[in-house]
Amino acid sequence: MMKNVKRFWLACLTVVVSMTVLVTSAYAQTVFWEPLTSYNASTWSKSDGYSNGGMFNCTWRANNVSFNGSGQMRLALTSPAWNTFDCAEYKTTFSSGYGLYEVNMKPAKNIGIVSSFFTYTGPSEGNPWDEIDIEFLGKDTTKVQFNYFKNGVGGHEQVVNLGFDASQGYHIYAFDWQANSIKWYVDGVLKHTVTGSPSTLPSTPGKIFANIWNGTGVDGWLGAYNGANPLYADYDFIKYTSN
């Protein structure tokens, strides 16, 4: 069914699968469609050669982002040496604001890790830390965690029972980010809503991210990572529709 969704959008946009598509309508609505068939350096970058530090117990490696040629991207968590770990992150080269963000993905399953899809901006971009998250904790992939940060303040986690094991197949996860609300969806079904205002909810445009990483010092949240590798999070498409 998820492949049919992908083919439907490709038909609607009448584009070649291997291309990222940016469409602007007469009403100034922008649709960014990424079928993830290959690396497009004009709209995406691969984090490489550094670590976020803190609870991130790995180094981002561009080589850990790959494409299978059939329309899926794979992010890998690997170990080049004992107790040394490499992880993967893919992010847009541009920032986007209010609108609907969608991903068709299959997270990795293992204690101590995270597979995610989110928007983020922060001090590295000269902005306040604003973020909206869809996160899968590998210790239990029958659940998904939603969260957001405003000016670096988080603590808004909401864990939702999915009724299926997300690591076993592709499903569409989404959030609709508006000035006065954020709504999270799973396969088109509304699962969680927060309301507020631009002073209490994220309001600064950010980049779109997908990543996989293993944690350290956060065993109460993720569980203790056991060193298992390689582990993979797979992504079928990413889509952003502005207001």
Side-chain angles (χ1 to χ4, degrees), residues 4 22 39 86 88 96 105 107 113 126 148 152 174 209-210 215 223 230 236:
N4 290 335
L22 187 63
Y39 177 46
D86 290 341
S96 48
M105 67 175 287
I113 69 165
Y148 69 92
F209 285 75
D236 187 51

Side-chain angles (χ1 to χ4, degrees), residues 136-152:
F136 295 90
L137 313 187
K139 66 181 182 180
D140 187 356
T141 49
T142 66
K143 299 179 175 66
V144 62
Q145 177 177 284
F146 305 135
N147 193 18
Y148 69 92
F149 289 78
K150 172 66 175 181
N151 290 329

